[in-house]
Amino acid sequence: MSTTTKEICMSDQRPEVVTDLALAENWGEVARLRNSLGSIRVRLHHLLGIRSQKVGRSYDYPHSLRTVAAMVEAKLPTMSQWEAPKAREVLDNIVTINDAIEAKYAEAAPLEREYDAKQWSRFFLVQNNNGHIHSSMSCSTCYFDTQFGWLPELSGLTEADAVEAHGAILCSVCFPSAPVEWTNGISHVAQAEKDARAAAKAKRDAAKAAKAITAPDGSPLKDDGGYTIKTEVTARREMSGALENALWYPQSGDKYRAYADRLAEAISAKTGEHAYDLIINAQNKAEKKFKREATA
Ligand SMILES: [Zn+2]
């Protein structure tokens, strides 16, 4: 029986992983609840008709959630009969959400205590391009708004395990003992993206090369006006056109046929077809077309 990835995860019940998976989930739920409080703060400002203001380079609302909630609470008695119940509902929601956050903290507390007692290794991946793996979310190299992704499945493991799982992208501040070559690499995800881009480019280049044409000596193939003919398709179209022109303008026939011969040589050098066959086939088609059009 084959073992699927999921079964490996299920059987990987190291206590550090179990604890940190639960904490990571808890942490995600708290973040979601905090976001809801952020939305309520905005709504309460709107209820009072207060607009956002420019703060630095972005916009924000002037009051904290606590302050704006108190302002709305104070205004409740003077609100209209349809506005007041809506405001009341939003204010009640704050209490509900805060209770939920407290409950999440209470759930997390024994898990946090377990970690405090044992202090196993932890790994956090910064969620941007070229993000590093850190040992905590309070690394001095990160900014307050850095987006961390917890890697709980690595909890309790070594720096080498983290490098194997995600690439040589350890933060040298968080992991001062890590060899330099574990800190200055590229993540597996970024490497895979890079490889995919390179493969796509190679495919495009190959397709371009398949269509491309040059003179038999490898130099650019020029038309009679001196413009470069880049593709085999164009060369064939030019060859047919030249042979048709030779029929329409017999006085310049030699010039057109010489041009068609030059193109046929280039196509032949590329495809291995005989230049003579190319000319004969194109000549036959040109004559049929000429007859059709000349008698039309
Ligand atoms: Zn760090």
Side-chain angles (χ1 to χ4, degrees):
M1 196 188 91
S2 72
T3 314
T4 66
T5 312
K6 194 169 178 197
E7 280 166 315
I8 292 168
C9 290
M10 296 292 283
S11 65
D12 185 4
Q13 292 291 344
R14 290 184 296 109
E16 303 93 322
V17 176
V18 175
T19 301
D20 281 352
L21 276 171
L23 272 176
E25 196 185 331
N26 180 286
W27 183 55
E29 283 162 8
V30 170
R32 193 175 49 76
L33 290 164
R34 287 190 177 285
N35 272 338
S36 305
L37 288 180
S39 308
I40 287 178
R41 176 172 163 258
V42 171
R43 250 188 106 184
L44 293 175
H45 277 91
H46 287 178
L47 272 174
L48 296 172
I50 303 171
R51 291 161 170 265
S52 61
Q53 301 165 357
K54 200 156 191 202
V55 182
R57 268 191 284 173
S58 58
Y59 282 81
D60 197 7
Y61 292 85
H63 305 297
S64 69
L65 176 63
R66 186 192 291 262
T67 305
V68 74
M71 289 162 77
V72 170
E73 185 89 53
K75 209 191 161 193
L76 271 179
T78 60
M79 280 185 180
S80 67
Q81 57 177 355
W82 58 83
E83 212 178 13
K86 273 197 280 179
R88 181 75 266 162
E89 198 187 326
V90 177
L91 291 173
D92 289 348
N93 232 337
I94 299 174
V95 179
T96 311
I97 294 171
N98 275 326
D99 287 351
I101 291 175
E102 284 308 315
K104 285 290 151 198
Y105 285 162
E107 266 175 45
L111 303 172
E112 301 277 16
R113 278 197 296 276
E114 207 184 310
Y115 174 73
D116 288 342
K118 294 178 189 160
Q119 301 269 329
W120 55 78
S121 63
R122 281 176 161 174
F123 301 89
F124 299 86
L125 178 61
V126 167
Q127 312 271 294
N128 62 17
N129 244 347
N130 306 320
H132 283 93
I133 292 176
H134 303 269
S135 62
S136 75
M137 286 182 280
S138 47
C139 173
S140 64
T141 67
C142 295
Y143 301 98
F144 74 95
D145 59 349
T146 299
Q147 297 279 309
F148 286 95
W150 199 338
L151 304 171
E153 71 281 1
L154 289 177
S155 289
L157 297 184
T158 64
E159 296 167 2
D161 294 319
V163 168
E164 194 188 331
H166 294 276
I169 51 169
L170 298 183
C171 165
S172 56
V173 172
C174 286
F175 305 101
S177 62
V180 173
E181 62 268 27
W182 287 1
T183 64
N184 57 7
I186 174 169
S187 76
H188 290 341
V189 171
Q191 184 64 53
E193 284 167 2
K194 208 171 156 183
D195 291 349
R197 280 198 301 274
K201 183 175 187 302
K203 205 175 159 189
R204 282 197 307 276
D205 288 351
K208 210 170 154 187
K211 288 182 192 164
I213 195 162
T214 63
D217 65 0
S219 66
L221 178 62
K222 303 281 186 180
D223 72 7
D224 271 356
Y227 289 100
T228 302
I229 296 172
K230 288 181 180 161
T231 67
E232 184 188 328
V233 172
T234 308
R236 287 183 187 273
R237 198 172 53 228
E238 281 284 299
M239 180 177 66
S240 299
L243 292 170
E244 284 163 29
N245 282 340
L247 296 169
W248 285 104
Y249 311 105
Q251 68 280 15
S252 304
D254 287 348
K255 187 189 78 163
Y256 286 124
R257 275 187 293 273
Y259 178 39
D261 283 344
R262 208 155 59 70
L263 295 166
E265 293 294 343
I267 297 165
S268 168
K270 182 185 178 190
T271 67
E273 293 163 278
H274 288 292
Y276 177 76
D277 295 341
L278 288 164
I279 289 290
I280 291 294
N281 284 336
Q283 181 70 35
N284 285 339
K285 279 183 198 157
E287 277 168 13
K288 276 182 197 158
K289 195 172 169 195
F290 176 73
K291 274 180 199 154
R292 224 172 31 241
E293 288 175 8
T295 57

